Amino acid sequence: KAGVTQTPRYLIKTRGQQVTLSCSPISGHRSVSWYQQTPGQGLQFLFEYFSETQRNKGNFPGRFSGRQFSNSRSEMNVSTLELGDSALYLCASSPGSGEQPQHFGDGTRLSIL
Amino acid sequence: DAKTTQPTSMDCAEGRAANLPCNHSTISGNEYVYWYRQIHSQGPQYIIHGLKNNETNEMASLIITEDRKSSTLILPHATLRDTAVYYCIVQQTGANSKLTFGKGITLSVRP
């Protein structure tokens, strides 16, 4: 069974630009969650999508948004990029109900110049 | 904020058991204990989870105290590839399933 796939693996942008990251979940998983990891703040929850609807949201500004498609694939968008947005962005998928664990991809490393 | 506390780091010898402790004194009755690990430059890897009974899988064993206020992850025969940051997380299930990560414990396995 294929794991969670995130594209691209690496991305370099400049301040003020916007970026879209993609996540393909494990087949059959309906929930996709996004996390940001930085050396200073560690791993922080951004938001979760389940059946194309945002079900949970973390404490991030509105510049961070996402969506989920009918095939459960998800995209995350960050607008008006700031230097502090440099981070590893991780996607995790799960069935979305019960206690089944989330499974993570290897992330997209975003660098802002 | 994370609902768990873990030591900052520990080490063990290759081939020996690694026992990683975790305190979660405010755990609720409907919260599970999950363990993940993260090897440098990779995404977190799920290891094991449990509610109140001890659990074992091909990677590790999870021992949860009777009062559920603490747990121990056991890697029975640590290898150099087990060197990683290990996260203990308490989590509700279903619609409230967001993971709140703490700083984790850095396990160093020495030859």
Side-chain angles (χ1 to χ4, degrees):
Chain A
K1 205 173 192 182
V4 177
T5 304
Q6 292 189 246
T7 56
R9 286 297 312 277
Y10 302 93
L11 205 48
I12 299 175
K13 292 286 187 179
T14 57
R15 282 183 298 173
Q17 287 186 310
Q18 73 166 7
V19 67
T20 299
L21 312 181
S22 180
C23 173
S24 293
I26 291 171
S27 178
H29 285 188
R30 297 170 63 191
S31 169
V32 173
S33 298
W34 289 88
Y35 295 82
Q36 180 196 66
Q37 185 172 28
T38 61
Q41 299 298 318
L43 269 153
Q44 293 185 289
F45 173 77
L46 280 155
F47 33 66
E48 181 212 4
Y49 285 85
F50 179 78
S51 293
E52 302 179 65
T53 300
Q54 189 180 85
R55 187 164 68 169
N56 282 302
K57 188 177 186 306
N59 189 27
F60 278 81
R63 300 185 297 107
F64 293 82
S65 63
R67 60 177 175 169
Q68 187 179 34
F69 302 96
S70 58
N71 62 357
S72 293
R73 191 177 70 84
S74 178
E75 288 182 347
M76 189 191 99
N77 186 76
V78 188
S79 63
T80 320
L81 287 165
E82 301 176 359
L83 293 177
D85 298 332
S86 293
L88 180 66
Y89 289 88
L90 292 156
C91 164
S93 76
S94 74
S97 61
E99 89 248 27
Q100 293 308 305
Q102 296 181 28
H103 294 275
F104 286 79
D106 282 335
T108 294
R109 173 77 59 186
L110 176 63
S111 300
I112 311 301
L113 303 179
Chain B
D1 288 343
K3 296 182 66 174
T4 62
T5 55
Q6 301 176 255
T8 302
S9 63
M10 67 177 291
D11 63 18
C12 76
E14 190 175 20
R16 304 298 294 268
N19 297 301
L20 286 71
C22 179
N23 287 322
H24 32 79
S25 58
T26 61
I27 191 170
S28 302
N30 62 347
E31 288 180 319
Y32 284 73
V33 179
Y34 290 78
W35 283 83
Y36 287 80
R37 72 181 182 184
Q38 188 172 25
I39 297 169
H40 185 61
S41 298
Q42 296 180 19
Q45 177 189 23
Y46 164 75
I47 301 173
I48 198 168
H49 73 284
L51 183 62
K52 52 185 177 182
N53 297 322
N54 297 338
E55 302 288 345
T56 295
N57 63 20
E58 65 280 2
M59 290 183 67
S61 294
L62 174 61
I63 309 297
I64 302 174
T65 58
E66 193 169 342
D67 63 7
R68 304 213 317 127
K69 292 185 178 181
S70 65
S71 60
T72 301
L73 179 74
I74 301 172
L75 307 178
H77 305 286
T79 71
L80 299 180
R81 288 178 295 179
D82 292 322
T83 293
V85 179
Y86 287 76
Y87 297 98
C88 169
I89 300 167
V90 297
Q91 178 196 352
Q92 295 184 31
T93 61
N96 295 308
S97 61
K98 74 171 189 176
L99 295 173
T100 302
F101 287 82
K103 295 186 184 302
I105 178 172
T106 299
L107 173 67
S108 299
V109 180
R110 61 181 187 275

